[in-house]
Amino acid sequence: MLRTLFSPRVMGLHLLTLGVLVAFILLGRWQLGVFQDSGKPHTAVDPEPVAVATLAPVGAQMSGEVVGRRVTAEGSYEAGRQLLVADRRADVDAPGGNVSRDHGYWVLTPLRLDDGTLMPVVRGWTAKAGDPAAEAVPEGRVSVAGRLRPQQGTDSVQRRTEGLPAGQVQTVSTGELVNLWTGQKVRTGFVVAEPPSGALAPVKVAPPVVGGTLTWRNLAYAANWWIFAGFAVFMWFHFVRDAVRSDRDRGKSSPEMVLEG
């Protein structure tokens, strides 16, 4: 049996089967990876900027498909209503609250639009609360470009137990801003300015993303390749078994042939 298994013709079969198995398994893994990647969120087509008033309503929730959209806004900043969003990194997706304590501040300034509503704008990031760059609010009419973000829930961060100094907030929450900027119509969400205002550091903000759609066809392709691999093993087993039986039968018949001679 061992002589048959290690004979040149059967060894060639072993190597061929091994190569086929490796190829089919890798092809199956490739198709499985395509299937898994198809379900991941990916960057959507980045549309042209639109006026912020068309996407950020007053007194209503912002729809999910507008998050991250590029917007423009024109009006004048109201420096007297400026706030600092405490415990924030220079990345809009980074966690806030105690996990980012003393890492800096977003500078949040309301922009009064031509219709009289206020649009919260994160003008940039500063490491210190007393940074002169944060206090240097542009005067007069300004034009702001940036990306739109939804309001943040007040329960979305681990808040400080001792509270915050006056003029600081923990999140950019529309409901909280309405209470702080009393008597004003505040639009939902906020704009992250790109580029930042003055000497403030930029706050990183991602473009809009859309959820992926699983391509089940690729999963079926992966299963097919692995089934083929199993079939290759099945055929290898039968070929080897037949070769062993053939050599065994030939060995049994040889003594009879010698006696007849």
Side-chain angles (χ1 to χ4, degrees), residues 5-6 30 104 142 160 187 194 215 234:
L5 292 177
F6 291 101
W30 168 57
V142 297
R160 296 189 185 188
R187 292 189 174 273
E194 291 183 328
T215 55
F234 174 79

Side-chain angles (χ1 to χ4, degrees), residues 154-170:
T154 54
D155 59 348
S156 63
V157 298
Q158 187 179 1
R159 303 174 69 89
R160 296 189 185 188
T161 56
E162 72 276 15
L164 292 169
Q168 294 185 19
V169 292
Q170 197 81 67

